[in-house]
Amino acid sequence: MAYIEHVNRAGGVQGRTIVIRAYDDNYNPQPAIDNTVRLVETDNAFLLFGYVGTPTVTRTLPLLKCYDDRSVYLFFPYTGAEPQRQPPYDEKVFNLRASYGQETGGLVDNFVRIGRKRIAVFYQIDAYCRSGWDGVRKALARHGLRMAGETTYKRGTTFKESLQRQVEILRKNECDAIISIGAYAACAAFIRDARDAGWDVPIANVSFVGSESLLELLLESGQANHKDYTANLINSQVVPSYHNVALPAVRQYRELMERYDPMSPPAFREEGYHPMPYSFVSFEGFLNAKLLVEILRKMEPPLEAGRIKSVVESCVELDLGIGVPISFGPAKHQGLNQVYYTVVSEDRFVPIANWEKWRP
Amino acid sequence: MRNSKLLTKTLAILVLLFVVSGLAVAITSVWWISHALTQQYESKGTAIANSIASSSVEVLLYRDSSTVQAMIDQYLSIQGVAYVFVLDEQGDIVAHTFAPSVPECVRQLKGDRHATTIQIVDVEDIGECIDVAAPLLEGEVGYVHVGMDRRLISSAVRTAVLLQSAIMGTILLVGLLASYFLVKKITRPLDQLTACATELAATDSTSEAALRANGALVPITERTDEVGHLAKAFWHMVLELSGREQRLLHAEETLRASESHFRSLIENVTDVIMKLNAEGMANYASPPIEHVLGFRSEHFINRNLLEFIHADDNQRVRDTLRQVSQLAGSVSSEEFRLVRRDGAYRLVDASFNNLLADPNVQSLIVTLRDITEHRRAEEMWRIADENQRLLSSISSILIGLDATGRITKWNRAAEDILDVSSRVAVGELLDALPIAWDQAQLTCCIRDCLSLRKPTRLEEFSFKRRDGQPGLLGISITPVFGSDGSPQGLLLLGTDITERRNLETQLRHSQKLESIGQLAAGIAHEINTPIQYVGDNVNFLKGAFADLHSVICKQERLLAGAKCGRLDDDVITDVEQAMASADLAFLGEEVPRAIEQTLEGLGRVAKIVRAMKEFSHPGDEGKVASNLNNLIENTITVANNEWKYVADVVTDFDGSLPLVPCLVSEFNQVILNLIVNAAHAIGDRIKDDPEGKGRITISTRASAESVEIRVTDTGTGMPESVRLKEFDPFFTTKPVGKGTGQGLTIAHAVIVKKHGGTISIETELGKGTAFIIRLPLIDPKCALKDAPAPVNDSASTCASV
């Protein structure tokens, strides 16, 4: 929002301003499908942007296939799930962030490297987390290992609920690292219960958990219980830390956020909702928007739906200001493959300096 | 009411029948419902399993467990589906719906490669389930397991059974009620007859029982069957019994009325009448006992009279009781105290009458009369009488006035001193009596007392004594208040202080003589010193004059020779010799000084004499407006010899001091006493240091209404104990012979009583003492005389109270 606002104020792209047509799907598949149909049929959109969530995106994919003749493409969905990165849908989708497979795979690789081979998974019993689970399983298989244990929780579990049973199940399996794939409230509850049980095993969360919300819950309850729940907590991220002001993109992100203080579109604003000033998720959104604008700039007028795929696929070594060049190609619809690992230090996420500290 | 056996048996059979048939129906329906539902769930599960199996082959081949998960999540929402999970060809679970983990028992389940299999499993956390396993591509790709929740079946069965039981229960209840009323119609009249008979046997009053039975029995007698005949016969018997009982009751009633007549006689006399056995145990006490002891009469019964008697009287009454009870018909009376319930004592007069032998009484009859109040009244009379005698025998005048100013009391001393008999005085107004005193001043004082509502005092109130001589009274007037605080009158208490005043005057005189005597030696010494050097100087002048005279004589001779023109050397030499021996220069210097000194000495003597004269100012002249500074100065001079060896006197006079009305002689005396005291105090202080000297400071200051004289010394000061007693007569700290102990008492009397002023002390042990005298500029006695004093209206004044 901040970046698009910034571009529009600066005169737009080739003299045309970007209009945001936003609909709310409430993280449910059915409205996601309905909204997509409306965008394509009524609003005549051929460029879909800002989709969030595995269940919603995976169920929308077949629609893109349906609109094959209209050249509708999905740009940079916020999900690391596999379906949009695999045939037959990969050709209709462009991804910026690394996949869950890459995130979980990276975590598994690092844990195995330091000798933590009994890895267990704590996950939400739904499609999004199943893909994360699958990533862990496959990564372990590459090392010739099997999951040391797994435990699940139902979607909608709140922070107040006890997840001690899940902690006990994994503890019985004697695992020495846990990868947690789920929503921030349940993940925070799991961490709290594990630490309360005196179990200091490293627990790693993936980017989609909502790192800042997770941290806020843990700090709050940590303060109430006089405990440090953030020790041995690892979060993998798919964008660099927004604290790293050495990166030009971070500086621009911070400046534009300060300047425009973006809010949700007015129709979806909730009373009493105060978004955090900066977060990994919003920084990812910022990078997505920036990349989209770069691509639009590359298009020579007139803007034609049919040409967009070839334009994107011709992008080579685009510099977004994060120190890593972005390239696309006909067989490469994945922009970034980097996974960034963070730990909590002084109540904020900082990059992991050395994995060796967790060597058992 | 007790149920008849007939009724019980009928109902028991009915219940048995219902239970058996109910059970049979329930078992049959449970089996049938459960069977049908199981079949239904099995087919539902099979359909779901097959549906997943057929649609997920492709996805599984792509190894996309996320999509499989999305698919099976949808099926979970179908009613009855407890879980779904998918195994791959290795038998690993690739997607499932369990939380928090896959139960061990489901992992063990095996599917058939060629057909859908159904089995029952008991799943932890969920319960018993029907597991349907379907192979994917003949088991080559994997298997799908769908678990249908059997708890739904059992809950459906439970609901059906409950519903059935409710219906059966209702029918049973209706059946039971119907048969109950049917059987009741026969057993009830029989029960009622039985109950009536039982009650008749148990009750005291047949007629009442008959009356109660009437309502129940009469309808039965109207029946024409055997039950009706039985009821009729029974009813006749009841009526006959009831008639006999009525006659018996009437006789008893007559007897009771007579007894209550006599009882009320006893209970309404104010004396207590009680019946005791030989040991004193009460078996009756009439109600007035409650007034005496605070116990109700029924509480007194079966308690011993002796328990309530005061410990001091107990033995005596015990003896009397024993005596009386030993001899039939004997009577004795005794006075003793009883202890009330609240602990107070009541004095009673009791008479004991032995009627143990009387067959109708068989008791000691005791009559108690409470004489406490009577005794108390007697005692009060005695005390009042004693007070009367006390009042009449005191030597002070005691006059009581009531609220209207009339005399209520006039004691013997009042009769003697005022020469008016109490017969004449009582009932009169005070100012109507022929008494020679200043009635107006007294009335004024009474009025003050009434308006201030506190005692007032008249000092030295003049009156004419019986013998015609003038006398002095000291009168205190005290308001008398009732218990509610309202004024009830006045009490005048007067003492003839004539004799005492005379003695005091004499004493004061003697003190004055004492001080003059004491001063005389000092003054003699004071005068002696100047007189001595005046004498010396006059002697010197005498010699000087002789020398001068001889010089002059010789010079005359020279002069005479010179006139004749004859200047003999002899004569000149003679003159020169005389002049040399006379030392004219010396004389020229010393003679005027000697004369000066002499005159000064004479002046001092004159001053002392004048001061002495003024100090011993003849008294009894009344108050004179005086210059206090002069008076003090004189006194300092007179007392010079008393202080000059120990102290310096510093005066700090207020030049603007107005003339103050005072008794000069008395005032001088006071100042002298204070100076002498101060000198003594300083003397005590510097006893061990002959070189040291103290200081006496005397200051005067005027204010609007009074003047203040302050005599401060740097002496020993005085401890608190001495300070408090300082103005007491005869109190002295000086050794015997040095003081009479009257000095300050007189000072106090003069300043306070005669001048209406105040005298106070400020002292600090070791530092010194200050006496502070304040004299009013207006004589209070004069002021009182000036005030408008209505004469002869004390009655109206008093009436206004």
Side-chain angles (χ1 to χ4, degrees):
Chain A
M1 292 283 291
Y3 190 76
I4 289 173
E5 172 110 30
H6 168 66
V7 169
N8 282 342
R9 287 201 188 184
V13 181
Q14 293 159 19
R16 299 175 67 172
T17 51
I18 299 167
V19 178
I20 299 172
R21 211 32 75 73
Y23 299 113
D24 188 10
D25 62 22
N26 236 332
Y27 201 76
N28 282 327
Q30 199 53 50
I33 293 170
D34 295 347
N35 290 341
T36 309
V37 171
R38 184 144 55 123
L39 279 168
V40 175
E41 302 270 344
T42 317
D43 300 329
N44 267 323
F46 61 87
L47 195 152
L48 303 175
F49 178 73
Y51 276 55
V52 178
T54 303
T56 48
V57 171
T58 52
R59 295 296 300 281
T60 317
L61 292 174
L63 265 180
L64 301 178
K65 259 324 205 192
C66 289
Y67 296 127
D68 220 1
D69 52 333
R70 304 173 78 145
S71 302
V72 175
Y73 292 97
L74 177 61
F75 274 87
F76 319 134
Y78 292 85
T79 166
E82 284 304 317
Q84 77 269 25
R85 291 177 170 84
Q86 303 288 345
Y89 304 119
D90 55 345
E91 57 168 327
K92 306 299 288 181
V93 183
F94 291 97
N95 295 293
L96 178 60
R97 55 140 65 213
S99 70
Y100 293 144
Q102 285 169 314
E103 278 190 60
T104 50
L107 286 168
V108 168
D109 291 346
N110 277 309
F111 278 132
V112 170
R113 188 161 52 74
I114 60 167
R116 289 196 181 258
K117 295 184 176 173
R118 294 191 57 78
I119 297 172
V121 181
F122 164 78
Y123 63 106
Q124 179 170 300
I125 187 77
D126 71 359
Y128 141 55
C129 301
R130 179 62 71 194
S131 82
W133 169 90
D134 208 29
V136 175
R137 197 167 74 122
K138 284 171 179 158
L140 282 169
R142 282 203 300 277
H143 294 282
L145 296 167
R146 287 174 68 86
M147 244 176 236
E150 61 174 279
T151 184
T152 58
Y153 73 89
K154 290 217 163 78
R155 204 170 127 186
T157 299
T158 62
F159 183 62
K160 282 192 200 124
E161 287 170 55
S162 165
L163 291 176
Q164 280 164 358
R165 281 195 62 189
Q166 279 80 348
V167 172
E168 276 162 31
I169 287 166
L170 295 190
R171 209 169 184 184
K172 215 155 40 185
N173 289 329
E174 296 176 339
C175 48
D176 48 22
I178 293 171
I179 296 174
S180 153
I181 307 151
Y184 70 89
C187 289
F190 177 77
I191 293 162
R192 176 198 61 206
D193 290 340
R195 301 310 183 215
D196 282 349
W199 199 21
D200 59 355
V201 65
I203 299 176
N205 294 277
V206 295
S207 60
F208 205 77
V209 74
S211 307
E212 286 79 9
S213 305
L214 175 84
L215 181 59
E216 195 175 38
L217 273 183
L218 288 180
L219 289 176
E220 228 168 69
S221 62
Q223 207 159 32
N225 299 349
H226 307 294
K227 279 198 173 167
D228 179 15
Y229 289 131
T230 61
N232 294 330
L233 172 66
I234 299 163
N235 274 51
S236 66
Q237 310 290 359
V238 290
V239 291
S241 166
Y242 52 86
H243 293 302
N244 186 1
V245 291
L247 298 175
V250 171
R251 287 201 300 275
Q252 192 185 18
Y253 162 67
R254 284 176 166 252
E255 186 207 326
L256 294 184
M257 289 298 276
E258 283 293 325
R259 195 185 309 162
Y260 299 112
D261 187 21
M263 289 293 290
S264 324
F268 309 125
R269 231 168 260 169
E270 276 173 48
E271 198 65 30
Y273 172 72
H274 300 292
M276 279 167 284
Y278 309 118
S279 68
F280 284 102
V281 174
S282 88
F283 186 46
E284 185 184 344
F286 174 84
L287 293 177
N288 288 346
K290 191 170 180 185
L291 181 53
L292 183 72
V293 171
E294 290 300 318
I295 288 166
L296 290 176
R297 284 209 170 114
K298 270 192 162 314
M299 277 184 88
E300 300 291 321
L303 273 167
E304 283 169 4
R307 290 201 301 122
I308 192 151
K309 185 163 184 270
S310 57
V311 170
V312 180
E313 286 174 351
S314 67
C315 287
V316 178
E317 303 267 303
L318 276 179
D319 182 14
L320 281 185
I322 52 170
V324 185
I326 315 284
S327 301
F328 290 102
K332 186 171 183 293
H333 283 195
Q334 176 73 40
L336 277 171
N337 295 300
Q338 258 69 19
V339 179
Y340 303 84
Y341 305 99
T342 59
V343 283
V344 177
S345 168
E346 290 175 358
D347 298 349
R348 57 187 232 184
F349 289 104
V350 300
I352 293 181
N354 186 5
W355 280 85
E356 291 301 316
K357 68 180 256 203
W358 286 294
R359 184 176 285 282
Chain B
M1 199 191 298
R2 212 157 33 82
N3 278 331
S4 74
K5 276 193 175 160
L6 196 60
L7 187 61
T8 321
K9 273 181 192 165
T10 317
L11 296 185
I13 290 166
L14 203 66
V15 171
L16 196 70
L17 267 171
F18 262 91
V19 169
V20 171
S21 61
L23 274 177
V25 172
I27 290 165
T28 322
S29 56
V30 164
W31 179 81
W32 187 252
I33 292 168
S34 133
H35 181 71
L37 277 176
T38 308
Q39 266 193 338
Q40 194 197 330
Y41 273 146
E42 278 174 4
S43 65
K44 202 171 175 180
T46 311
I48 293 168
N50 285 333
S51 151
I52 296 174
S54 58
S55 59
S56 61
V57 171
E58 200 177 334
V59 187
L60 265 188
L61 280 175
Y62 281 122
R63 297 267 181 271
D64 183 5
S65 43
S66 167
T67 314
V68 176
Q69 183 74 43
M71 191 189 316
I72 65 175
D73 279 351
Q74 290 172 51
Y75 286 104
L76 196 62
S77 57
I78 294 172
Q79 196 220 2
V81 178
Y83 62 83
V84 184
F85 65 97
V86 180
L87 300 164
D88 65 9
E89 75 278 11
Q90 270 111 32
D92 286 341
I93 295 175
V94 293
H96 66 82
T97 61
F98 295 103
S101 64
V102 182
E104 206 44 49
C105 57
V106 259
R107 289 181 188 279
Q108 312 297 335
L109 294 172
K110 293 275 180 282
D112 187 342
R113 281 172 150 320
H114 308 294
T116 307
T117 52
I118 294 174
Q119 48 201 310
I120 305 286
V121 280
D122 193 4
V123 184
E124 142 190 24
D125 283 344
I126 298 175
E128 217 168 55
C129 293
I130 303 163
D131 182 85
V132 182
L136 298 166
L137 279 187
E138 304 289 302
E140 284 302 319
V141 179
Y143 291 90
V144 178
H145 286 258
V146 176
M148 303 300 290
D149 195 347
R150 263 183 69 104
R151 278 178 312 174
L152 290 174
I153 297 175
S154 50
S155 108
V157 168
R158 209 165 30 243
T159 317
V161 169
L162 275 177
L163 203 66
Q164 246 174 22
S165 312
I167 295 167
M168 293 294 279
T170 316
I171 297 172
L172 175 64
L173 204 68
V174 172
L176 280 177
L177 278 175
S179 26
Y180 177 83
F181 285 115
L182 218 68
V183 179
K184 204 74 187 168
K185 198 133 200 257
I186 302 166
T187 55
R188 198 150 146 222
L190 288 178
D191 280 344
Q192 277 171 335
L193 273 178
T194 317
C196 287
T198 317
E199 195 177 354
L200 274 176
T203 191
D204 286 340
S205 161
T206 315
S207 51
E208 275 177 33
L211 217 60
R212 278 202 299 277
N214 191 13
L217 279 178
V218 171
I220 306 175
T221 52
E222 283 163 6
R223 282 169 74 148
T224 48
D225 56 7
E226 291 83 347
V227 181
H229 293 311
L230 183 62
K232 264 178 223 153
F234 184 75
W235 183 237
H236 281 304
M237 189 184 81
V238 171
L239 289 181
E240 180 56 27
L241 270 173
S242 151
R244 286 189 194 179
E245 192 192 51
Q246 286 299 326
R247 288 191 288 280
L248 211 66
L249 277 177
H250 182 69
E252 202 177 342
E253 192 60 34
T254 319
L255 212 62
R256 197 172 293 142
S258 129
E259 198 254 343
S260 104
H261 170 70
F262 284 108
R263 180 174 285 268
S264 84
L265 275 181
I266 291 175
E267 290 180 354
N268 286 306
V269 295
T270 52
D271 290 358
V272 179
I273 293 166
M274 52 174 80
K275 282 163 75 178
L276 307 180
N277 69 6
E279 280 75 42
M281 196 69 81
N283 53 36
Y284 172 78
S286 64
I289 189 84
E290 194 177 346
H291 298 301
V292 182
L293 279 185
F295 286 105
R296 294 177 65 82
S297 58
E298 52 266 40
H299 294 143
F300 191 68
I301 289 173
N302 285 334
R303 298 185 68 169
N304 199 311
L305 175 64
L306 293 167
E307 288 175 35
F308 297 91
I309 293 171
H310 189 286
D312 297 346
D313 301 340
N314 201 299
Q315 192 55 49
R316 186 160 49 85
V317 180
R318 194 180 290 271
D319 293 344
T320 310
L321 196 66
R322 194 182 322 112
Q323 261 172 13
V324 172
S325 59
Q326 272 166 1
L327 183 60
S330 66
V331 175
S332 174
S333 66
E334 196 65 67
E335 210 175 279
F336 54 83
R337 282 163 293 177
L338 284 178
V339 185
R340 269 180 72 87
R341 189 183 192 174
D342 57 14
Y345 295 120
R346 303 300 288 184
L347 188 66
V348 294
D349 184 15
S351 84
F352 297 86
N353 194 350
N354 184 341
L355 292 181
L356 285 166
D358 185 329
N360 290 323
V361 183
Q362 298 184 350
S363 303
L364 291 173
I365 296 296
V366 183
T367 318
L368 293 177
R369 174 167 295 172
D370 188 342
I371 57 169
T372 316
E373 299 304 332
H374 182 75
R375 262 307 139 75
R376 198 170 288 160
E378 276 179 3
E379 184 65 13
M380 296 233 327
W381 272 111
R382 197 178 57 72
I383 291 168
D385 191 45
E386 217 162 74
N387 282 345
Q388 189 64 33
R389 267 184 286 135
L390 261 178
L391 286 181
S392 61
S393 59
I394 59 172
S395 66
S396 295
I397 298 171
L398 191 139
I399 302 170
L401 300 181
D402 68 8
T404 63
R406 291 194 185 272
I407 294 164
T408 54
K409 188 163 285 297
W410 190 268
N411 76 344
R412 178 82 52 79
E415 288 182 332
D416 290 347
I417 296 171
L418 301 176
D419 198 19
V420 176
S421 81
S422 78
R423 239 172 334 100
V424 175
V426 170
E428 285 297 320
L429 294 173
L430 196 57
D431 52 8
L433 294 176
I435 304 171
W437 60 13
D438 185 350
Q439 184 61 49
Q441 195 183 350
L442 183 63
T443 307
C444 183
C445 196
I446 287 174
R447 203 171 51 187
D448 282 353
C449 170
L450 286 172
S451 63
L452 298 173
R453 294 170 71 96
K454 64 182 188 188
T456 54
R457 189 162 166 80
L458 263 182
E459 293 285 357
E460 313 206 346
F461 181 60
S462 313
F463 77 112
K464 196 175 268 179
R465 300 175 76 170
R466 246 177 150 171
D467 53 11
Q469 294 295 311
L472 285 175
L473 284 177
I475 298 180
S476 299
I477 304 171
T478 314
V480 178
F481 298 107
S483 52
D484 58 346
S486 65
Q488 301 266 302
L490 292 170
L491 195 66
L492 272 67
L493 207 60
T495 319
D496 186 348
I497 54 168
T498 317
E499 301 302 334
R500 205 170 88 198
R501 279 290 170 273
N502 287 340
L503 283 175
E504 275 173 12
T505 310
Q506 283 169 26
L507 184 67
R508 212 160 38 243
H509 207 67
S510 80
Q511 212 264 338
K512 194 168 167 185
L513 286 176
E514 176 203 313
S515 58
I516 290 172
Q518 194 184 351
L519 287 174
I523 289 166
H525 180 72
E526 282 295 297
I527 294 175
N528 194 38
T529 311
I531 287 292
Q532 235 162 33
Y533 67 71
V534 165
D536 289 348
N537 283 354
V538 171
N539 270 332
F540 167 70
L541 287 176
K542 187 179 161 193
F545 180 77
D547 289 347
L548 276 178
H549 190 254
S550 94
V551 171
I552 290 169
C553 286
K554 292 202 170 128
Q555 284 178 341
E556 273 177 354
R557 263 175 40 211
L558 185 66
L559 188 64
K563 274 179 182 171
C564 302
R566 216 168 19 97
L567 287 171
D568 288 342
D569 286 348
D570 290 353
V571 175
I572 290 169
T573 312
D574 211 20
V575 169
E576 277 172 351
Q577 273 178 353
M579 281 173 70
S581 81
D583 193 355
L584 284 180
F586 171 76
L587 288 180
E589 203 176 307
E590 282 300 313
V591 168
R593 191 183 294 165
I595 293 168
E596 189 69 25
Q597 227 173 26
T598 306
L599 286 176
E600 187 258 348
L602 289 175
R604 266 179 72 185
V605 171
K607 185 183 171 195
I608 292 169
V609 171
R610 193 173 59 246
M612 192 68 201
K613 198 176 142 213
E614 277 180 28
F615 176 78
S616 50
H617 195 283
D620 300 336
E621 285 177 5
K623 287 182 185 163
V624 183
S626 317
N627 182 339
L628 295 187
N629 290 347
N630 283 350
L631 296 184
I632 296 167
E633 192 73 59
N634 279 333
T635 309
I636 294 170
T637 307
V638 170
N640 196 24
N641 200 48
E642 301 295 318
W643 51 263
K644 71 174 176 191
Y645 300 109
V646 293
D648 296 321
V649 171
V650 179
T651 55
D652 173 17
F653 291 152
D654 182 349
S656 65
L657 207 66
L659 295 183
V660 179
C662 78
L663 298 164
V664 175
S665 170
E666 258 96 342
F667 178 77
N668 284 341
Q669 181 76 43
V670 170
I671 299 297
L672 175 68
N673 287 348
L674 294 185
I675 293 173
V676 171
N677 267 3
H680 287 168
I682 293 169
D684 289 347
R685 175 96 184 271
I686 62 169
K687 198 155 42 182
D688 305 324
D689 177 15
E691 295 305 310
K693 242 183 172 186
R695 190 167 67 242
I696 300 169
T697 311
I698 304 178
S699 63
T700 56
R701 289 287 179 272
S703 71
E705 286 153 8
S706 64
V707 295
E708 181 191 284
I709 302 142
R710 186 179 278 262
V711 181
T712 314
D713 66 57
T714 57
T716 50
M718 47 179 104
E720 183 73 6
S721 59
V722 173
R723 191 180 72 77
L724 290 175
K725 287 197 277 186
E726 194 59 11
F727 296 115
D728 290 357
F730 307 109
F731 176 80
T732 180
T733 57
K734 293 170 187 170
V736 176
K738 209 169 177 193
T740 53
Q742 292 297 301
L744 287 171
T745 313
I746 287 167
H748 188 261
V750 169
I751 299 300
V752 177
K753 291 194 180 162
K754 299 210 167 169
H755 289 85
T758 60
I759 179 165
S760 55
I761 305 175
E762 286 171 6
T763 180
E764 195 173 339
L765 201 57
K767 290 263 176 77
T769 307
F771 282 87
I772 301 112
I773 295 169
R774 283 192 187 81
L775 292 182
L777 286 176
I778 299 165
D779 186 346
K781 283 191 180 164
C782 301
L784 194 71
K785 276 172 190 158
D786 294 344
V791 183
N792 292 343
D793 69 345
S794 72
S796 65
T797 309
C798 295
S800 72
V801 169

